[in-house]
Amino acid sequence: ILVVLLVVCSAQLPIPANPSGGGYTLKSPNPSAKIYLDIFVDPLCPDCSDGFPNWNELADYYSSDSLQISLHLFPLPYHRNSFLAAQGAVAIGEKLGQAGFIKFLGAMLTPKNQIKFGRAAANQTQFEVIDNMATIAEEAGIDRSLFLEGMADPNNDYDARTAWKYACSRGVAGTPSFFVNGVSVNGSPYWGVKEWKVLFNPMLPKSMRKDDMSVYERLSDTSCPKGTEECEYLPGTIECCKSGHYCIPNVGCRC
């Protein structure tokens, strides 16, 4: 009698320690904000480096009652040393919270450090890279020994992996990736306040909109046929809505 034993293995995703999946808000958190913008970033991603100043400007432009921006880590395997940078951000976030996390991540996203820890570090050992990252942390006002202790803590390594797996569970495949109130948006790191307003203003009560007319209210300077209304549902992306249709941000004209 031939007995065949089948062993079934299943890979369960680890549950993050907090609902944000290890992310931190760019500014002071406000759980009651009308709009949540979640951005998945790689600390050594050139596009994320370009986008970071725009996201800070956006966070300053809208009140915390209107918009909350959260940054989540998604180190890409083809960006050299990216996981070490993500682990460093996790370690600092664990010790210093939101302010420390954003301070270190912002330092890593500067163009100078994008080069320093990319191909320029090709011949450096892992220990040399970590030591150089400790210098970046120190320059950002973070205690060097705190950073090095955090990098040696296996719990921070685990949490960085969990954050990456959380991003995968959300369907993230590249950086930066954008989610508005949990829905994926085909955004650009080069969008500034002007572009994001096209998406956000129609989502806010009129009293919370910022100093321009919403796409619903713009009646002039349109190329749409008579009897229809221009719908700029994403920056630079326009449909002409027929009577009875609504202009829905991120979607277009729908009845």
Side-chain angles (χ1 to χ4, degrees):
I1 298 174
L2 179 64
V3 178
V4 179
L5 298 178
L6 297 178
V7 179
V8 179
C9 297
S10 62
Q12 295 290 334
L13 289 174
I15 299 174
N18 61 67
S20 71
Y24 287 88
T25 57
L26 192 54
K27 304 292 182 181
S28 298
N30 181 6
S32 301
K34 296 292 184 183
I35 299 173
Y36 279 38
L37 173 59
D38 292 293
I39 308 174
F40 288 82
V41 302
D42 176 333
L44 295 179
C45 162
D47 287 338
C48 298
S49 175
D50 290 338
F52 189 69
N54 294 330
W55 306 331
N56 275 287
E57 183 183 2
L58 185 64
D60 289 335
Y61 182 79
Y62 281 102
S63 71
S64 60
D65 292 331
S66 299
L67 175 66
Q68 175 172 286
I69 301 176
S70 296
L71 301 183
H72 305 263
L73 296 169
F74 188 66
L76 296 167
Y78 43 83
H79 285 159
R80 190 184 303 273
N81 299 318
S82 177
F83 184 81
L84 290 176
Q87 185 180 343
V90 168
I92 291 172
E94 176 65 27
K95 292 291 185 180
L96 302 180
Q98 177 264 349
F101 176 91
I102 295 300
K103 188 181 291 185
F104 178 75
L105 182 60
M108 292 304 301
L109 286 171
T110 60
K112 175 187 71 174
N113 288 329
Q114 296 288 297
I115 297 171
K116 181 174 183 177
F117 292 100
R119 293 185 181 278
N123 296 321
Q124 294 178 4
T125 67
Q126 178 171 311
F127 296 105
E128 289 172 330
V129 170
I130 291 173
D131 191 64
N132 287 334
M133 286 184 180
T135 299
I136 300 304
E138 195 170 28
E139 290 172 352
I142 297 165
D143 184 81
R144 183 186 189 89
S145 61
L146 182 148
F147 176 84
L148 292 173
E149 289 169 7
M151 291 297 288
D153 187 341
N155 290 320
N156 293 324
D157 176 88
Y158 174 81
D159 287 344
R161 295 172 188 235
T162 300
W164 185 86
K165 292 177 182 180
Y166 169 77
C168 290
S169 75
R170 299 286 302 275
V172 175
T175 57
S177 290
F178 305 93
F179 290 78
V180 175
N181 288 351
V183 176
S184 177
V185 170
N186 189 26
S188 165
Y190 306 105
W191 284 3
V193 169
K194 178 182 176 182
E195 288 76 21
W196 281 109
K197 281 196 300 186
V198 173
L199 189 63
F200 290 159
N201 271 9
M203 299 173 63
L204 294 169
K206 287 188 176 182
S207 61
M208 300 178 75
R209 294 177 188 171
K210 294 286 287 188
D211 66 27
D212 75 332
M213 299 178 71
S214 78
V215 291
Y216 298 114
E217 298 167 321
R218 191 164 59 234
L219 300 177
S220 61
D221 191 26
T222 176
S223 58
C224 287
K226 186 177 180 180
T228 66
E229 190 170 329
E230 182 183 286
C231 168
E232 189 177 7
Y233 60 96
L234 283 174
T237 307
I238 295 171
E239 288 185 2
C240 297
C241 294
K242 299 177 180 179
S243 177
H245 284 204
Y246 296 94
C247 179
I248 304 174
N250 199 44
V251 176
C253 299
R254 296 291 187 273
C255 60

